[in-house]
Amino acid sequence: MNAQNSDNHERTIGAIYKRLKSVLSQSDARYVLSKRARISANELITQSDALIEDSIYSQIESDLEQVVSGKPLSRIYGEREFWGLNFKLSDATLDPRQDTETLIEAVLARFEDKTKPYKILDLGTGSGCILLSLLSELPNASGIGVDIAPEAVKTAQENAQNLGLENRSSFICGSWDAANRQEEAERFDILVSNPPYISNQVIPNLDENVQKYDPILALDGGDDGMDAYKTIFIQLPEILKKGGYGFFEIGFDQEDSMTRLSKESRFSLMGVHRDSSQLARVVEIFFE
Ligand code: GLN
């Protein structure tokens, strides 16, 4: 085989798929080929000997280099699947975690009548993934997402548009109290929040990818990681309707401090929901 042929051999779909699989999971390897070369899972088998175009080959090479250097695919392509929906990401948004789907499940389990026009507030909305996933399940609900980062608000608006949910959602740039500061402030049936909750002392020990690619504003919860929750709890009587529920994502070690905060407040602690690793992940409260 001459040099040209051996080079060509490396550029077949089958060979590239194999290389991708040596550093990525099988499904991520398929994802790269479908993103860059629009190759379907079936074509991976039927077209395995076909050559990939030079420009696409170079793109995949560059993706591979980035993957090897530790960059997550979600940051390379600027998107992440959450609750079966596709969300665009930006530098100002947290990369949605699968654990956060526990929060969606907790809300849906509580609100059995899916047809009611619930009003939802999402504090620290980021990509909008929590609010928009809920709106996709509750066809008459509407909601507001608040984020301190203007770029996150833009990304969330874009995601609402892409998902056809722009008529039932709006996004405000501001602090935790931005929704109740609105001129025609309304109260909500459902408050959801995945605020920054990592203690600032722990941040230097986080996974390198998290430190490098997730925005610090979405992670840093102050000295004990509780700053955002404490601020939100003070606002709660102005946010929730009587009879409304709040759902907060928490860190694996925050069950005690969050149940304490709930018990000290005027709200009833309804329960703590566990994620698929059986870690405490969501605290649910009720405003009687
Ligand atoms: N769950 C995220 C992590 O583990 C943290 C998100 C947050 O602080 N809200 O990195």
Side-chain angles (χ1 to χ4, degrees), residues 18 32 44 71 75 131 165 190 197 209-211 215-216 231 254 273 276 284-285:
K18 202 165 153 198
V32 170
L44 273 176
K71 190 164 181 174
R75 294 295 180 187
L131 174 63
L165 295 167
I190 305 172
Y197 56 65
N209 284 347
V210 174
Q211 291 194 56
I216 186 79
T231 312
Q254 287 174 316
H273 301 263
S276 54
E284 177 181 353
I285 56 151

Side-chain angles (χ1 to χ4, degrees), residues 90-267:
S90 62
D91 290 346
T93 65
L94 191 79
D95 188 348
R97 318 285 206 257
Q98 211 192 330
D99 291 335
T100 303
E101 293 185 352
T102 309
L103 196 156
I104 310 292
E105 286 173 354
V107 176
L108 296 177
R110 173 62 59 194
F111 292 87
E112 280 174 340
D113 183 353
K114 305 282 177 277
T115 62
K116 285 199 177 151
Y118 302 113
K119 299 262 180 264
I120 307 173
L121 177 65
D122 180 4
L123 291 179
T125 196
S127 62
C129 67
I130 297 177
L131 174 63
L132 296 170
S133 299
L134 287 171
L135 294 182
S136 79
E137 297 285 349
L138 304 167
N140 297 314
S142 58
I144 299 179
V146 174
D147 205 285
I148 191 85
E151 203 191 340
V153 169
K154 224 174 107 219
T155 307
Q157 278 164 338
E158 218 181 299
N159 283 324
Q161 289 254 332
N162 292 343
L163 296 167
L165 295 167
E166 70 278 16
N167 296 333
R168 293 192 283 130
S169 59
S170 57
F171 295 90
I172 309 174
C173 187
S175 195
W176 304 116
D177 59 355
N180 33 309
R181 273 167 175 270
Q182 295 277 88
E183 217 169 285
E184 288 176 39
E186 54 177 336
R187 287 201 159 95
F188 298 86
D189 303 288
I190 305 172
L191 167 73
V192 287
S193 186
N194 174 18
Y197 56 65
I198 298 178
S199 146
N200 52 24
Q201 283 136 57
V202 173
I203 292 200
N205 311 329
L206 290 178
D207 202 71
E208 207 183 302
N209 284 347
V210 174
Q211 291 194 56
K212 213 159 153 190
Y213 299 108
D214 282 314
I216 186 79
L217 271 179
L219 300 171
D220 187 345
D223 285 345
D224 61 357
M226 297 291 289
D227 282 6
Y229 302 124
K230 289 177 192 158
T231 312
I232 296 172
F233 263 73
I234 296 170
Q235 319 278 334
L236 275 179
E238 284 168 62
I239 290 175
L240 281 178
K241 288 180 188 165
K242 292 231 161 178
Y245 288 81
F247 299 83
F248 298 90
E249 176 165 326
I250 59 167
F252 69 94
D253 54 355
Q254 287 174 316
E255 181 172 2
D256 289 348
S257 29
M258 264 307 260
T259 47
R260 210 173 315 124
L261 183 65
S262 311
K263 283 178 184 155
E264 284 163 10
S265 73
R266 301 160 45 186
F267 309 99

Side-chain angles (χ1 to χ4, degrees), residues 7-31:
D7 196 36
N8 275 350
H9 179 69
E10 285 167 17
R11 292 172 185 234
T12 62
I13 290 174
I16 293 166
Y17 184 37
K18 202 165 153 198
R19 272 189 68 201
L20 285 166
K21 279 194 293 188
S22 69
V23 283
L24 290 168
S25 70
Q26 190 157 341
S27 69
D28 281 349
R30 283 203 303 267
Y31 171 67

Side-chain angles (χ1 to χ4, degrees), residues 69-81:
S69 80
K71 190 164 181 174
L73 280 183
S74 56
R75 294 295 180 187
I76 299 176
Y77 297 130
E79 64 177 20
R80 163 72 74 186
E81 189 187 302

Side-chain angles (χ1 to χ4, degrees), residues 53-82:
E53 245 175 69
D54 284 354
S55 60
I56 295 175
Y57 181 80
S58 326
Q59 278 180 331
I60 295 178
E61 278 289 308
S62 137
D63 292 347
L64 261 174
E65 261 171 47
Q66 295 186 70
V67 165
V68 169
S69 80
K71 190 164 181 174
L73 280 183
S74 56
R75 294 295 180 187
I76 299 176
Y77 297 130
E79 64 177 20
R80 163 72 74 186
E81 189 187 302
F82 179 85

